[in-house]
Amino acid sequence: MVALLSLSGCYKDALDDRLPTDNPFDREYDGPTVFVSEGTYTQVTNIGPVSVLRQVIAFRVRSELFLSPTPYSVQVRDLQSGVTELLNADPPGSDNFKFFREPAPGQSICLELRLSNNQAAAGPTTICATL
């Protein structure tokens, strides 16, 4: 009986090694890129009585790659500043996102992006943009 249990453990491990990697929410996803850079620009933002110039890095999520319709956010980490934020779609209900930061003209700014759902994050993808 013990030999049978040990063999079933090996079989399970072999199956785990062959798990599909076509779900963009999995850390091991290896399909087409989920994030598409939409460019960067500056925008004046009013914070109370003060107007502030911000750099916007816009990107889109290719939700057509999802295996089924799924609510999600995007975890963004600015690789230059180390700032990490969880973003919702802008405008709501779309697949468009905007990350705001201090302007950095002429500097390539790279963001690490991860799909986020139920407090879990998928594997990272990096996009870069230059203002």
Side-chain angles (χ1 to χ4, degrees):
M1 182 70 167
V2 171
L4 184 59
L5 287 175
S6 66
L7 285 176
S8 69
C10 292
Y11 181 69
K12 179 187 178 305
D13 290 342
L15 284 178
D16 287 348
D17 290 341
R18 295 189 321 240
L19 290 174
T21 57
D22 61 346
N23 183 350
F25 289 91
D26 289 341
R27 288 190 177 275
E28 294 80 24
Y29 174 73
D30 68 357
T33 185
V34 175
F35 299 99
V36 177
S37 175
E38 298 285 316
T40 187
Y41 56 90
T42 57
Q43 176 177 314
V44 174
T45 304
N46 294 318
I47 302 173
V50 179
S51 295
V52 178
L53 184 66
R54 306 290 292 174
Q55 180 174 354
V56 179
I57 300 174
F59 60 93
R60 178 176 54 84
V61 172
R62 295 181 57 204
S63 62
E64 71 272 11
L65 298 173
F66 297 176
L67 301 181
S68 62
T70 305
Y72 68 97
S73 300
V74 175
Q75 182 184 72
V76 178
R77 183 166 68 101
D78 183 327
L79 296 178
Q80 278 68 26
S81 70
V83 169
T84 299
E85 292 183 29
L86 190 61
L87 301 179
N88 292 312
D90 183 1
S94 73
D95 292 319
N96 300 309
F97 291 80
K98 296 176 184 170
F99 178 74
F100 296 87
R101 68 176 324 277
E102 293 297 317
Q107 183 180 356
S108 179
I109 302 298
C110 296
L111 304 177
E112 180 183 86
L113 307 174
R114 297 172 185 261
L115 288 175
S116 179
N117 178 291
N118 293 328
Q119 299 178 341
T125 298
T126 302
I127 64 167
C128 299
T130 303
L131 182 61

